[in-house]
Amino acid sequence: MAYSYDDTNIFARILRGEIPCSKVLETEHALAFNDIAPQAPHHVLVIPKGAYVNYDDFASNATDAEIIGFNRAIGEVIAQLNAAPGDGGLGYRLVANTGEAGVQDVPHLHVHILGGRVLGRMLPAAQ
Ligand code: 5GP
């Protein structure tokens, strides 16, 4: 699938430095920052630096280096948060809301890392 990318979206503006963010990590291929409206004690957004609308765009069209770099950045943030259960952390949840069904607000791929408390079941009961 080829998506058109709207480079006026808020995360594109953060990447260009036009809007500030509370930076958690920056690498060659990824930027991580705290969500402006946190829904858990830990709520970090990780975005690729490339212009990808969502996860399937990224998985299909990003270079191997971008895919590795993005995933390594997610791992680094989880380590920074001391959230990995194998290291005694409480655990965490990764979310990538996509499109209408996923209720995606910002059309630049972002993975939410949520944690710091028990988050409850993933979805409310089916309606
Ligand atoms: P979505 O619904 O697209 O998965 O999530 C977008 C997220 O971006 C929301 O959790 C929202 O709070 C966050 N967000 C929106 N605008 C900004 C901003 O200007 N700065 C930061 N740090 N987060 C933002």
Side-chain angles (χ1 to χ4, degrees):
M1 172 73 196
Y3 290 98
S4 68
Y5 178 83
D6 171 10
D7 70 2
T8 65
N9 78 75
I10 199 97
F11 295 166
R13 299 186 65 198
I14 286 174
L15 280 169
R16 289 195 296 268
E18 295 167 9
I19 293 176
C21 69
S22 162
K23 194 184 293 185
V24 172
L25 177 76
E26 182 165 12
T27 67
E28 182 181 358
H29 294 296
L31 178 67
F33 49 94
N34 289 304
D35 196 291
I36 204 166
Q39 296 185 36
H42 299 158
H43 190 168
V44 177
L45 301 170
V46 188
I47 67 174
K49 288 189 171 174
Y52 301 102
V53 172
N54 59 31
Y55 210 96
D56 60 89
D57 184 16
F58 183 69
S60 302
N61 299 316
T63 65
D64 290 359
E66 287 176 309
I67 290 170
I68 292 167
F70 181 63
N71 281 287
R72 292 279 193 228
I74 291 172
E76 280 185 47
V77 172
I78 291 165
Q80 267 193 41
L81 296 172
N82 295 313
D87 288 338
L90 196 56
Y92 55 87
R93 179 172 295 156
L94 303 183
V95 175
N97 295 319
T98 305
E100 183 183 355
V103 194
Q104 179 179 7
D105 288 329
V106 181
H108 181 111
L109 169 61
H110 48 286
V111 168
H112 298 252
I113 302 177
L114 296 149
R117 66 168 167 81
V118 176
L119 298 164
R121 294 275 169 206
M122 189 168 68
L123 294 172
Q127 296 169 4

